[in-house]
Coordinates of all heavy atoms in Angstrom, one line a residue:
K466 N 78.2 132.5 -7.8 CA 78.3 133.9 -8.3 C 77.2 134.8 -7.7 O 77.4 135.9 -7.3 CB 78.1 133.9 -9.8 CG 78.3 135.2 -10.4 CD 78.2 135.2 -12.0 CE 78.4 136.6 -12.6 NZ 78.4 136.5 -14.0
A467 N 76.0 134.2 -7.5 CA 74.9 134.8 -7.0 C 75.1 135.3 -5.5 O 74.7 136.2 -5.0 CB 73.6 134.1 -7.1
R468 N 75.9 134.3 -4.8 CA 76.4 134.7 -3.4 C 77.5 135.6 -3.3 O 78.0 135.8 -2.2 CB 76.6 133.3 -2.7 CG 75.4 132.4 -2.5 CD 75.7 131.3 -1.6 NE 76.6 130.3 -2.2 CZ 76.3 129.4 -3.1 NH1 75.0 129.3 -3.5 NH2 77.2 128.6 -3.6
G469 N 78.0 136.1 -4.4 CA 79.1 137.1 -4.4 C 80.5 136.6 -4.7 O 81.5 137.3 -4.6
M470 N 80.6 135.3 -5.0 CA 81.9 134.7 -5.2 C 82.4 134.9 -6.6 O 81.5 134.7 -7.6 CB 81.9 133.2 -4.8 CG 81.5 132.9 -3.4 SD 81.3 131.2 -3.0 CE 83.0 130.6 -3.2
T471 N 83.6 135.1 -6.9 CA 84.2 135.2 -8.2 C 85.2 134.0 -8.4 O 86.1 133.9 -7.6 CB 84.9 136.5 -8.5 OG1 84.0 137.6 -8.3 CG2 85.6 136.7 -9.8
L472 N 85.0 133.3 -9.4 CA 86.0 132.2 -9.7 C 87.2 132.8 -10.3 O 87.2 133.5 -11.4 CB 85.4 131.2 -10.6 CG 86.3 130.0 -11.0 CD1 86.7 129.2 -9.7 CD2 85.6 129.1 -12.0
E473 N 88.4 132.8 -9.6 CA 89.6 133.4 -10.0 C 90.5 132.4 -10.9 O 91.1 132.9 -11.9 CB 90.5 133.8 -8.9 CG 89.8 134.8 -7.9 CD 89.9 136.2 -8.4 OE1 90.7 136.5 -9.2 OE2 89.1 137.1 -7.9
Q474 N 90.5 131.1 -10.6 CA 91.4 130.2 -11.3 C 91.0 128.8 -10.9 O 90.5 128.6 -9.9 CB 92.8 130.5 -10.8 CG 93.9 129.7 -11.5 CD 94.1 130.1 -12.9 OE1 94.2 131.3 -13.2 NE2 94.1 129.2 -13.8
T475 N 91.3 127.9 -11.8 CA 91.2 126.4 -11.5 C 92.4 125.7 -12.0 O 93.1 126.2 -12.8 CB 90.0 125.8 -12.3 OG1 90.2 125.9 -13.7 CG2 88.6 126.5 -11.9
W476 N 92.8 124.7 -11.2 CA 93.9 123.9 -11.5 C 93.7 122.5 -11.4 O 92.7 122.1 -10.7 CB 95.1 124.2 -10.6 CG 95.6 125.6 -10.6 CD1 96.5 126.1 -11.5 CD2 95.3 126.7 -9.7 NE1 96.8 127.4 -11.2 CE2 96.1 127.8 -10.1 CE3 94.5 126.8 -8.7 CZ2 96.1 129.0 -9.5 CZ3 94.4 128.1 -8.0 CH2 95.2 129.2 -8.5
L477 N 94.5 121.6 -12.0 CA 94.4 120.2 -11.9 C 95.9 119.7 -11.5 O 96.8 120.2 -12.2 CB 94.0 119.5 -13.3 CG 94.0 118.0 -13.3 CD1 93.1 117.4 -12.3 CD2 93.9 117.6 -14.7
T478 N 95.9 118.9 -10.5 CA 97.2 118.3 -10.2 C 97.0 116.9 -9.9 O 96.0 116.4 -9.3 CB 97.8 119.1 -8.9 OG1 99.1 118.5 -8.7 CG2 97.0 119.0 -7.7
P479 N 98.0 116.0 -10.3 CA 99.0 116.3 -11.3 C 98.4 116.8 -12.6 O 97.2 116.7 -12.8 CB 99.7 114.9 -11.5 CG 98.9 113.8 -10.8 CD 97.9 114.6 -9.9
P480 N 99.2 117.3 -13.5 CA 98.6 118.1 -14.6 C 98.1 117.3 -15.7 O 97.8 117.8 -16.8 CB 99.9 118.9 -15.1 CG 101.0 118.2 -14.6 CD 100.6 117.5 -13.3
I481 N 98.0 116.0 -15.5 CA 97.2 115.1 -16.5 C 96.2 114.2 -15.7 O 96.5 113.9 -14.5 CB 98.2 114.1 -17.3 CG1 99.1 113.3 -16.4 CG2 99.1 115.1 -18.2 CD1 99.8 112.2 -17.1
E482 N 95.2 113.8 -16.3 CA 94.2 112.9 -15.7 C 94.8 111.5 -15.4 O 95.3 110.9 -16.4 CB 92.9 112.8 -16.5 CG 91.9 112.0 -15.7 CD 90.5 112.0 -16.4 OE1 90.3 112.6 -17.5 OE2 89.6 111.4 -15.8
L483 N 94.7 111.1 -14.2 CA 95.2 109.7 -13.9 C 94.0 108.8 -13.8 O 92.9 109.3 -13.4 CB 95.9 109.7 -12.6 CG 97.1 110.6 -12.5 CD1 97.6 110.6 -11.1 CD2 98.2 110.3 -13.5
F484 N 94.1 107.6 -14.2 CA 92.9 106.7 -14.2 C 93.2 105.6 -13.2 O 92.3 104.7 -13.0 CB 92.6 106.1 -15.6 CG 92.1 107.1 -16.5 CD1 93.0 107.7 -17.4 CD2 90.8 107.5 -16.5 CE1 92.5 108.8 -18.2 CE2 90.3 108.5 -17.4 CZ 91.2 109.1 -18.2
D485 N 94.3 105.5 -12.5 CA 94.6 104.6 -11.4 C 94.9 105.2 -10.1 O 95.1 104.5 -9.2 CB 95.8 103.7 -11.9 CG 97.0 104.5 -12.1 OD1 97.0 105.7 -12.2 OD2 98.1 103.8 -12.0
Q486 N 94.9 106.5 -10.0 CA 95.1 107.3 -8.8 C 94.2 108.5 -8.8 O 93.8 109.0 -9.9 CB 96.5 107.7 -8.7 CG 97.5 106.6 -8.7 CD 98.9 107.3 -8.6 OE1 99.2 108.1 -7.8 NE2 99.8 106.9 -9.6
P487 N 93.9 109.1 -7.7 CA 93.1 110.4 -7.6 C 93.9 111.5 -8.3 O 95.2 111.5 -8.3 CB 92.9 110.6 -6.1 CG 93.2 109.3 -5.5 CD 94.2 108.5 -6.3
N488 N 93.1 112.5 -8.8 CA 93.7 113.8 -9.2 C 93.0 114.8 -8.2 O 92.0 114.5 -7.6 CB 93.2 114.1 -10.6 CG 94.0 113.5 -11.7 OD1 93.7 112.4 -12.2 ND2 95.1 114.2 -12.1
T489 N 93.6 115.9 -8.1 CA 93.0 117.0 -7.3 C 92.7 118.2 -8.2 O 93.5 118.7 -9.0 CB 94.0 117.4 -6.2 OG1 94.3 116.3 -5.4 CG2 93.4 118.5 -5.4
L490 N 91.4 118.6 -8.1 CA 90.9 119.8 -8.7 C 91.0 120.9 -7.7 O 90.6 120.7 -6.5 CB 89.4 119.7 -9.2 CG 89.3 118.8 -10.4 CD1 87.7 118.5 -10.6 CD2 89.8 119.5 -11.7
V491 N 91.5 122.0 -8.1 CA 91.6 123.2 -7.2 C 91.0 124.3 -7.8 O 91.2 124.7 -8.9 CB 93.2 123.6 -6.9 CG1 93.3 124.7 -6.0 CG2 94.0 122.3 -6.4
Y492 N 90.1 124.9 -7.0 CA 89.2 126.1 -7.4 C 89.6 127.2 -6.4 O 89.5 127.1 -5.2 CB 87.8 125.8 -7.3 CG 87.2 124.8 -8.3 CD1 87.4 123.4 -8.1 CD2 86.7 125.2 -9.5 CE1 86.9 122.5 -8.9 CE2 86.3 124.2 -10.5 CZ 86.4 122.9 -10.2 OH 86.0 122.0 -11.1
L493 N 90.0 128.4 -7.0 CA 90.2 129.6 -6.3 C 89.2 130.6 -6.5 O 89.0 131.0 -7.6 CB 91.7 130.2 -6.6 CG 92.0 131.4 -5.8 CD1 92.2 131.0 -4.3 CD2 93.3 132.0 -6.4
W494 N 88.5 130.9 -5.5 CA 87.4 131.9 -5.5 C 87.8 133.1 -4.8 O 88.7 133.1 -3.9 CB 86.1 131.3 -4.9 CG 85.6 130.0 -5.3 CD1 86.1 128.8 -4.9 CD2 84.7 129.7 -6.3 NE1 85.4 127.8 -5.6 CE2 84.6 128.3 -6.4 CE3 83.9 130.5 -7.2 CZ2 83.7 127.7 -7.3 CZ3 83.0 129.9 -8.0 CH2 82.9 128.6 -8.1
S495 N 87.1 134.2 -4.9 CA 87.3 135.3 -4.0 C 85.9 136.1 -3.7 O 85.0 135.9 -4.5 CB 88.3 136.4 -4.7 OG 87.7 136.9 -5.9
V496 N 86.0 136.8 -2.7 CA 85.0 137.8 -2.3 C 85.7 139.0 -2.0 O 86.8 139.0 -1.5 CB 84.0 137.3 -1.2 CG1 83.3 136.0 -1.6 CG2 84.8 137.0 0.1
P497 N 85.1 140.2 -2.1 CA 85.8 141.5 -2.0 C 86.3 141.8 -0.5 O 87.4 142.5 -0.5 CB 84.8 142.5 -2.4 CG 83.7 141.8 -3.1 CD 83.7 140.4 -2.7
D498 N 85.6 141.3 0.5 CA 86.0 141.8 1.8 C 85.2 140.9 2.8 O 84.5 140.0 2.5 CB 85.6 143.2 2.0 CG 84.2 143.6 1.7 OD1 83.3 142.8 1.8 OD2 84.0 144.8 1.3
A499 N 85.4 141.2 4.1 CA 84.8 140.4 5.2 C 83.3 140.5 5.2 O 82.6 139.5 5.4 CB 85.3 140.9 6.6
A500 N 82.7 141.7 4.9 CA 81.2 141.7 4.8 C 80.7 140.9 3.7 O 79.7 140.2 3.9 CB 80.8 143.2 4.6
A501 N 81.4 140.8 2.5 CA 80.9 139.9 1.5 C 81.1 138.5 1.9 O 80.3 137.6 1.5 CB 81.7 140.3 0.2
W502 N 82.1 138.2 2.6 CA 82.4 136.8 3.1 C 81.2 136.3 4.0 O 80.7 135.2 3.8 CB 83.7 136.6 3.8 CG 84.1 135.3 4.2 CD1 84.7 134.3 3.4 CD2 83.9 134.6 5.5 NE1 84.8 133.1 4.2 CE2 84.3 133.3 5.4 CE3 83.2 135.1 6.6 CZ2 84.2 132.4 6.5 CZ3 83.1 134.2 7.7 CH2 83.6 132.9 7.6
W503 N 80.9 137.2 4.9 CA 79.8 136.8 5.9 C 78.5 136.7 5.1 O 77.6 135.8 5.4 CB 79.7 137.8 7.0 CG 80.7 137.6 8.0 CD1 81.8 138.4 8.2 CD2 80.8 136.6 9.0 NE1 82.5 137.9 9.3 CE2 82.0 136.7 9.7 CE3 80.0 135.4 9.2 CZ2 82.3 135.9 10.8 CZ3 80.5 134.6 10.1 CH2 81.6 134.7 11.0
A504 N 78.2 137.6 4.1 CA 77.0 137.5 3.3 C 77.0 136.2 2.6 O 75.9 135.4 2.4 CB 76.9 138.7 2.4
M505 N 78.1 135.8 1.9 CA 78.3 134.6 1.2 C 77.9 133.3 2.1 O 77.2 132.5 1.8 CB 79.6 134.5 0.5 CG 79.9 133.2 -0.2 SD 80.7 131.9 0.8 CE 82.3 132.5 1.3
R506 N 78.6 133.4 3.3 CA 78.3 132.2 4.2 C 76.9 132.1 4.7 O 76.4 131.0 4.8 CB 79.3 132.4 5.4 CG 80.8 132.3 5.1 CD 81.2 130.9 5.0 NE 81.1 130.3 6.2 CZ 81.6 129.1 6.5 NH1 82.2 128.4 5.6 NH2 81.4 128.5 7.7
G507 N 76.3 133.3 5.0 CA 75.0 133.3 5.4 C 74.0 132.8 4.3 O 73.1 132.0 4.6
A508 N 74.3 133.3 3.1 CA 73.4 132.8 2.0 C 73.5 131.3 1.7 O 72.6 130.6 1.5 CB 73.7 133.6 0.8
A509 N 74.7 130.7 1.8 CA 75.0 129.3 1.6 C 74.3 128.5 2.7 O 73.7 127.5 2.4 CB 76.5 129.0 1.6
G510 N 74.4 129.1 3.9 CA 73.7 128.3 5.0 C 72.2 128.3 5.0 O 71.6 127.4 5.5
R511 N 71.6 129.3 4.3 CA 70.2 129.2 4.2 C 69.7 128.5 3.0 O 68.5 128.4 2.8 CB 69.7 130.7 4.1 CG 69.8 131.5 5.4 CD 69.2 133.0 5.3 NE 69.7 133.8 4.2 CZ 70.9 134.5 4.3 NH1 71.5 134.5 5.5 NH2 71.3 135.2 3.3
D512 N 70.6 128.1 2.1 CA 70.2 127.4 0.9 C 70.5 125.9 1.0 O 71.6 125.5 0.9 CB 70.9 128.0 -0.3 CG 70.6 127.4 -1.6 OD1 69.8 126.4 -1.6 OD2 71.0 128.0 -2.6
P513 N 69.5 125.1 1.2 CA 69.7 123.6 1.4 C 70.3 123.0 0.1 O 70.9 121.9 0.3 CB 68.3 123.0 1.7 CG 67.3 124.0 1.3 CD 68.0 125.4 1.3
S514 N 70.2 123.5 -1.1 CA 70.8 122.9 -2.2 C 72.3 122.9 -2.1 O 73.0 122.1 -2.8 CB 70.3 123.6 -3.5 OG 70.9 125.0 -3.6
V515 N 72.9 123.9 -1.4 CA 74.3 123.9 -1.2 C 74.8 122.7 -0.5 O 75.7 122.1 -1.0 CB 74.8 125.2 -0.6 CG1 76.3 125.2 -0.3 CG2 74.4 126.5 -1.3
A516 N 74.2 122.3 0.6 CA 74.7 121.1 1.3 C 74.4 119.9 0.4 O 75.2 118.9 0.5 CB 73.9 121.0 2.6
G517 N 73.3 119.8 -0.3 CA 73.0 118.7 -1.2 C 74.1 118.6 -2.3 O 74.5 117.5 -2.6
F518 N 74.5 119.7 -2.9 CA 75.5 119.8 -3.9 C 76.8 119.2 -3.3 O 77.4 118.3 -4.0 CB 75.7 121.2 -4.4 CG 77.0 121.3 -5.1 CD1 77.2 121.0 -6.4 CD2 78.2 121.8 -4.4 CE1 78.4 121.0 -7.1 CE2 79.4 121.9 -5.1 CZ 79.5 121.4 -6.5
W519 N 77.3 119.7 -2.2 CA 78.5 119.1 -1.6 C 78.5 117.7 -1.3 O 79.5 116.9 -1.4 CB 79.0 120.0 -0.4 CG 79.5 121.3 -0.8 CD1 79.0 122.6 -0.5 CD2 80.6 121.6 -1.7 NE1 79.7 123.6 -1.2 CE2 80.7 123.0 -1.9 CE3 81.5 120.8 -2.3 CZ2 81.7 123.6 -2.6 CZ3 82.6 121.4 -3.1 CH2 82.6 122.8 -3.2
A520 N 77.3 117.2 -0.8 CA 77.1 115.8 -0.6 C 77.3 115.0 -1.9 O 78.0 113.9 -1.8 CB 75.7 115.5 0.0
E521 N 76.8 115.5 -2.9 CA 77.0 114.8 -4.2 C 78.5 114.8 -4.6 O 79.0 113.8 -5.1 CB 76.1 115.5 -5.3 CG 76.0 114.6 -6.6 CD 74.9 115.1 -7.5 OE1 74.3 116.1 -7.2 OE2 74.8 114.5 -8.6
V522 N 79.1 115.9 -4.5 CA 80.5 116.1 -4.8 C 81.3 115.1 -4.0 O 82.2 114.4 -4.5 CB 81.0 117.5 -4.7 CG1 82.6 117.5 -4.8 CG2 80.5 118.3 -5.8
D523 N 81.0 115.0 -2.6 CA 81.7 114.2 -1.8 C 81.6 112.7 -2.1 O 82.6 112.0 -1.9 CB 81.2 114.3 -0.3 CG 81.7 115.7 0.3 OD1 82.6 116.3 -0.2 OD2 81.1 116.0 1.3
S524 N 80.5 112.3 -2.8 CA 80.5 110.9 -3.2 C 81.5 110.6 -4.3 O 81.6 109.4 -4.6 CB 79.0 110.7 -3.7 OG 78.7 111.2 -4.9
C525 N 82.0 111.6 -5.0 CA 83.0 111.4 -6.0 C 84.4 111.6 -5.6 O 85.4 111.4 -6.4 CB 82.8 112.4 -7.2 SG 81.1 112.3 -7.9
C526 N 84.6 112.0 -4.3 CA 85.9 112.5 -3.9 C 86.5 111.5 -2.7 O 85.7 111.0 -1.9 CB 85.8 113.9 -3.3 SG 85.5 115.1 -4.5
V527 N 87.8 111.6 -2.7 CA 88.5 110.9 -1.7 C 88.5 111.8 -0.4 O 88.3 111.4 0.7 CB 90.0 110.5 -2.1 CG1 90.8 109.9 -0.9 CG2 89.9 109.6 -3.3
V528 N 88.8 113.0 -0.8 CA 88.8 114.1 0.3 C 88.5 115.4 -0.3 O 88.7 115.6 -1.5 CB 90.2 114.1 1.1 CG1 91.3 114.5 0.2 CG2 90.1 115.0 2.3

Side-chain angles (χ1 to χ4, degrees):
K466 185 175 181 179
R468 290 187 298 276
M470 298 172 71
T471 300
L472 182 61
E473 300 280 343
Q474 185 72 46
T475 61
W476 295 278
L477 175 67
T478 184
I481 59 168
E482 182 173 3
L483 303 176
F484 292 96
D485 61 342
Q486 300 177 54
N488 280 88
T489 300
L490 287 168
V491 180
Y492 292 85
L493 180 65
W494 308 86
S495 67
V496 294
D498 53 31
W502 185 85
W503 284 109
M505 176 269 299
R506 295 282 294 190
R511 290 186 302 274
D512 184 349
S514 71
V515 174
F518 164 80
W519 286 117
E521 192 170 0
V522 167
D523 285 346
S524 74
C525 303
C526 292
V527 176
V528 67

